[in-house]
């Protein structure tokens, strides 16, 4: 409680007094939609796999090149969730576009921000919704990839199809980096949701923020908490529900 205001009141006030907001989101925002995160006790990196390879190794560029069949077995089972739907947090961010200038910078590859209605979304690590033939560049959606029995191949030239996701050992798209940094630099409020902020270079983008309010909403502590104006260690959907209750009460 600060000056008679709890953390939800403070969050509400900060958002109301913001005009240009960037939401920097990680896996935690999509966990309530049924998509596991990476580093928690039940996360992807702590799940046992039938192979002798670690998840980090499997989702690397060199593994993809050398073991495409094994890569796609893991990828389809652990990385793509076609039945996942946007949750209240995705929808809250999308709805806020009607009142503010909102940009989403996300580390997620699930496409749920766009499905919820967000228009300005920078996907730093790509998207499972986009897949390309490595030979001719033809585009394929996630449904085509998931329907393939083994390695998905191009119906036009027979080439192998690769997901447009950034694997380990691959660099981020330079245009996405530039757009993300520009958006963060111009924002008056930066809201970090559901990320441990340990994946670089994306986590380093936070240091470009020069605005008024830096907010973290994450279940666990982050190394940036001491820099923030507000830290809420809770599930983001619970936070949004409380925020909506405050608005309704008003």
């Amino acid at each position: 409680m600060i000056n008679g205001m709890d953390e939800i009141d403070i969050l509400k006030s900060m958002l109301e007094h913001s005009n240009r907001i960037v939401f920097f989101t990680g896996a935690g925002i999509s966990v309530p939609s049924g998509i596991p995160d990476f580093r928690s006790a039940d996360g992807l990196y702590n799940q046992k796999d039938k192979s002798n390879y670690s998840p980090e190794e499997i989702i690397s560029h060199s593994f993809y090149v050398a073991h495409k069949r094994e890569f796609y077995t893991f990828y389809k089972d652990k990385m793509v969730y076609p039945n996942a739907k946007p949750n209240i947090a995705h929808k809250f961010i999308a709805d806020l576009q009607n009142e503010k200038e909102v940009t989403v910078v996300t580390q997620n590859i699930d496409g749920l921000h766009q499905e919820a209605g967000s228009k300005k979304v920078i996907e730093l690590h790509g998207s499972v919704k986009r897949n390309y033939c490595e030979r001719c560049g033809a585009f394929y959606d996630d449904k085509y990839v998931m329907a393939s029995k083994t390695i998905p191949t191009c119906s036009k030239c027979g080439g192998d199809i690769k997901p447009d996701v950034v694997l380990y050992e691959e660099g981020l798209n330079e245009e996405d980096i530039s757009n993300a940094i520009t958006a963060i630099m111009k924002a008056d409020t930066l809201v970090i949701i559901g990320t441990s902020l340990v994946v670089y270079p994306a986590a380093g983008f936070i240091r470009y923020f020069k605005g008024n309010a830096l907010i973290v909403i994450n279940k666990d502590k982050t190394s940036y908490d001491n820099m923030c104006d507000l830290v809420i260690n809770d599930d983001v959907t619970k936070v949004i529900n409380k925020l909506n209750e405050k608005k309704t009460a008003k």
Side-chain angles (χ1 to χ4, degrees):
M1 191 76 69
I2 302 174
N3 295 327
M5 299 174 68
D6 64 19
E7 58 189 15
I8 303 300
D9 287 321
I10 296 170
L11 175 61
K12 178 174 176 287
S13 178
M14 285 178 168
L15 293 177
E16 286 177 347
H17 289 87
S18 302
N19 295 310
R20 187 179 289 121
I21 307 172
V22 168
F23 288 90
F24 186 95
T25 67
I29 197 173
S30 294
V31 169
S33 294
I35 301 177
D37 64 6
F38 288 82
R39 293 173 175 78
S40 69
D42 299 321
L44 182 64
Y45 290 166
N46 291 310
Q47 294 181 16
K48 292 184 178 179
D49 188 71
K50 295 179 181 178
S51 72
N52 294 321
Y53 303 104
S54 68
E56 295 99 320
E57 188 175 2
I58 295 173
I59 53 177
S60 68
H61 177 82
S62 55
F63 189 93
Y64 168 78
V65 172
H67 308 283
K68 287 184 181 177
R69 186 182 297 270
E70 292 85 351
F71 170 87
Y72 266 111
T73 297
F74 181 88
Y75 177 79
K76 293 182 196 178
D77 186 43
K78 304 292 188 181
M79 304 293 288
V80 185
Y81 291 82
N83 296 321
K85 299 297 180 186
N87 60 57
I88 191 172
H90 296 106
K91 293 173 182 175
F92 175 85
I93 293 171
D95 290 344
L96 203 58
Q97 292 175 134
N98 298 324
E99 308 168 29
K100 314 280 185 179
E101 182 179 337
V102 175
T103 301
V104 176
V105 178
T106 187
Q107 299 175 93
N108 298 339
I109 59 174
D110 51 44
L112 293 183
H113 281 296
Q114 291 93 326
E115 191 173 337
S118 287
K119 304 299 183 186
K120 296 176 66 176
V121 182
I122 301 168
E123 295 172 308
L124 294 175
H125 296 154
S127 173
V128 299
K129 305 292 185 182
R130 301 188 299 270
N131 305 272
Y132 297 94
C133 173
E134 294 184 285
R135 185 181 298 169
C136 73
F139 169 85
Y140 293 91
D141 62 16
D142 54 325
K143 295 181 179 64
Y144 184 91
V145 168
M146 294 300 286
S148 64
K149 293 182 178 179
T150 54
I151 302 169
T153 55
C154 180
S155 61
K156 299 177 181 178
C157 74
D160 292 341
I161 294 171
K162 182 181 183 296
D164 186 21
V165 298
V166 179
L167 304 176
Y168 285 115
E169 304 167 350
E170 296 179 345
L172 303 186
N173 179 279
E174 291 294 332
E175 184 177 355
D176 289 336
I177 291 174
S178 177
N179 289 339
I181 290 174
T182 299
I184 289 170
M185 289 179 67
K186 291 182 177 180
D188 51 39
T189 297
L190 175 59
V191 187
I192 300 165
I193 298 176
T195 172
S196 55
L197 294 174
V198 298
V199 177
Y200 284 81
F205 296 171
I206 306 305
R207 296 192 178 276
Y208 289 93
F209 178 66
K210 305 298 181 184
N212 301 320
L214 179 57
I215 303 164
V216 165
I217 304 171
N218 193 54
K219 280 188 173 182
D220 302 315
K221 296 182 183 302
T222 79
S223 59
Y224 282 79
D225 287 0
N226 62 345
M227 299 168 51
C228 295
D229 300 288
L230 176 65
V231 176
I232 303 177
N233 293 131
D234 203 351
D235 178 280
V236 63
T237 59
K238 293 180 180 178
V239 173
I240 298 303
N241 276 322
K242 292 176 183 177
L243 193 60
N244 286 337
E245 287 174 4
K246 295 276 186 181
K247 288 185 175 181
T248 301
K250 181 180 178 181

